[in-house]
Amino acid sequence: MSCDTFKPLLMGYLDEELTALEAVRVEQHLEECHDCTAELDDFRKLKEVTRNMRVVMPDDKYWDEYWSNIYNRLERKAGWILLSLGSIILSAYGLYWVIAEVFLDKNVHPVIRIGVLTLIVGFCTLLVSVLRERFFLSKSDKYERIKR
Amino acid sequence: MNPIEEGSAIERCKNGDREAFGLIVQKYMKPAYYVALGYVGRPDDALDISQDAFINAFRHIKRFDSSKSFFPWFYSILKNLCLNHLSRSRRRKEDSIDQMVEEEGQSRIPVETVNPEQGAVQRDIEVRIGKALQRLRPKEREIIILQHFQDYSYQEIADLLGIPIGTVMSRLYSARRELRRELERMGVRY
């Protein structure tokens, strides 16, 4: 078998994660292959220098608050959904009411009608524009093919 | 928590039991943090993203097949969030070349020696190793953090990431080789 087959097994050998049979096969290969022996020595030195190193953990207080943060956010999310739903219903009703009052009432001055109509069209245009931009941006990143 | 207890907790989660989900979070929050740290490289971001991933997991828990392990399914959610975060960060960095240069020069994965009586040389090596880690690809960082710095066994890593042990070994080989090259480039002698 070639060295490429043994290279991943060198890791298992170094970390004592191989079966006895696999370890014997690696040892037999190492007896014949100076390159793999030298590479194993390099990896052993790397392991030695980092033997007692650990990734610095966040303070205990972060772990104590970890679950409560998640719990609160789950709870708040439900609140936000209900709040948004209620706002949408009331806004839609308000809009309907304004339209009915302004456009069906013949006593309302035409300037006010034009003003309200302009406001509604402007709001709808902005809304559609923002939604369209969000939709297309989420589908494609124009820089994704650029290698950095 | 053994697999049977975990399965039972998942079933309760599917019925909306948030307390049961708390047990799952307690079990996996640290591996989730390490995986996220491997991808995004910053402790604060890793904490935030791992929490977001748990929230997403709870919302979609009904889609999870209870006969399988939780973490590999959760891992795919976490990984996607990390990649989205990296993509957004890249876009932000494009807006500020100065910030990008500054960050590349300073950022590092925080590692430290367990022995408190360390010398200045050892601290220097820690900083350099942290910087070298930061330069690895996310998947390489991830496996180095799990195995090299947190002593997870190959079987535990295979279970966490949902990959065969052979893949753990080959990924670890390429990751250690890259780490060694980075350290050589930085002139670290050991």
Side-chain angles (χ1 to χ4, degrees):
Chain A
M1 281 200 286
S2 70
C3 288
D4 286 345
T5 313
F6 278 99
K7 285 185 187 303
L9 289 171
L10 292 180
M11 299 299 96
Y13 185 72
L14 178 66
D15 298 321
E16 299 178 356
E17 291 265 4
L18 297 184
T19 63
L21 191 62
E22 286 172 329
V24 168
R25 280 174 54 211
V26 170
E27 282 166 3
Q28 284 172 347
H29 176 73
L30 288 173
E31 282 174 15
E32 299 164 359
C33 180
H34 294 297
D35 287 346
C36 283
T37 305
E39 193 164 30
L40 180 63
D41 282 343
D42 282 343
F43 284 132
R44 192 168 278 135
K45 285 177 197 162
L46 179 67
K47 184 169 176 163
E48 192 58 38
V49 80
T50 58
R51 179 181 292 278
N52 294 319
M53 284 188 189
R54 294 286 175 271
V55 172
V56 177
M57 291 289 283
D59 290 343
D60 285 346
K61 67 168 186 170
Y62 288 104
W63 295 117
D64 293 341
E65 291 166 2
Y66 193 93
W67 166 237
S68 60
N69 283 342
I70 292 174
Y71 187 91
N72 290 339
R73 284 172 62 187
L74 282 171
E75 203 168 50
R76 277 178 211 150
K77 192 77 185 176
W80 278 114
I81 290 171
L82 290 173
L83 196 71
S84 306
L85 204 61
S87 305
I88 290 169
I89 291 169
L90 287 178
S91 303
Y93 179 76
L95 193 66
Y96 167 78
W97 185 80
V98 167
I99 290 170
E101 285 291 313
V102 172
F103 293 99
L104 299 181
D105 187 350
K106 289 179 180 171
N107 295 325
V108 176
H109 197 279
V111 174
I112 297 177
R113 284 187 190 182
I114 292 168
V116 171
L117 187 66
T118 312
L119 263 176
I120 292 171
V121 170
F123 176 76
C124 291
T125 308
L126 283 175
L127 189 68
V128 168
S129 172
V130 169
L131 289 177
R132 192 180 53 205
E133 188 183 57
R134 301 283 298 178
F135 179 73
F136 283 116
L137 268 183
S138 68
K139 282 187 104 177
S140 66
D141 172 7
K142 61 181 176 178
Y143 300 115
E144 69 186 352
R145 288 171 189 275
I146 297 174
K147 289 186 177 175
R148 302 171 178 98
Chain B
M1 189 171 24
N2 62 41
I4 295 170
E5 289 169 333
E6 183 176 312
S8 160
I10 295 280
E11 284 307 316
R12 284 161 55 204
C13 292
K14 286 188 174 183
N15 293 323
D17 186 340
R18 288 183 198 153
E19 297 299 335
F21 191 61
L23 301 174
I24 303 288
V25 171
Q26 295 290 345
K27 180 176 179 182
Y28 290 115
M29 62 186 184
K30 288 184 180 174
Y33 169 75
Y34 296 136
V35 168
L37 186 65
Y39 273 93
V40 301
R42 289 170 179 273
D44 290 350
D45 291 342
L47 269 175
D48 286 346
I49 291 168
S50 62
Q51 287 180 342
D52 288 345
F54 279 115
I55 289 168
N56 281 4
F58 185 74
R59 269 192 220 129
H60 300 112
I61 196 81
K62 287 193 175 167
R63 292 186 201 163
F64 171 61
D65 179 356
S66 309
S67 63
K68 295 179 178 167
S69 298
F70 173 79
F71 200 87
W73 176 75
F74 170 78
Y75 173 78
S76 61
I77 296 173
L78 179 60
K79 187 177 128 187
N80 282 337
L81 285 180
C82 290
L83 293 176
N84 285 345
H85 173 85
L86 289 175
S87 169
R88 279 198 305 272
S89 305
R90 267 192 225 118
R91 271 185 229 157
R92 276 202 302 270
K93 281 179 185 176
E94 277 164 7
D95 294 339
S96 169
I97 292 171
D98 290 344
Q99 187 192 352
M100 183 165 68
V101 170
E102 188 185 328
E103 283 183 1
E104 289 199 344
Q106 291 179 354
S107 59
R108 68 182 184 94
I109 303 274
V111 289
E112 66 179 3
T113 309
V114 175
N115 176 16
E117 294 176 4
Q118 54 176 313
V121 175
Q122 184 63 26
R123 275 198 297 277
D124 181 54
I125 289 179
E126 281 172 12
V127 171
R128 284 163 182 257
I129 286 177
K131 282 187 177 176
L133 269 176
Q134 188 73 49
R135 293 182 185 180
L136 301 185
R137 286 193 290 263
K139 273 193 185 269
E140 293 169 345
R141 276 205 299 262
E142 170 189 76
I143 203 146
I144 289 273
I145 287 172
L146 288 173
Q147 200 282 329
H148 226 66
F149 292 96
Q150 299 307 132
D151 285 340
Y152 280 79
S153 71
Y154 285 12
Q155 187 61 56
E156 285 170 322
I157 295 171
D159 290 344
L160 282 175
L161 305 185
I163 55 176
I165 286 188
T167 308
V168 173
M169 285 196 271
S170 53
R171 212 178 271 182
L172 194 54
Y173 172 77
S174 58
R176 277 178 168 159
R177 191 184 55 194
E178 282 309 309
L179 179 60
R180 211 182 62 204
R181 280 182 189 159
E182 283 297 337
L183 289 171
E184 281 171 5
R185 266 182 220 137
M186 296 165 77
V188 177
R189 294 178 187 279
Y190 47 84

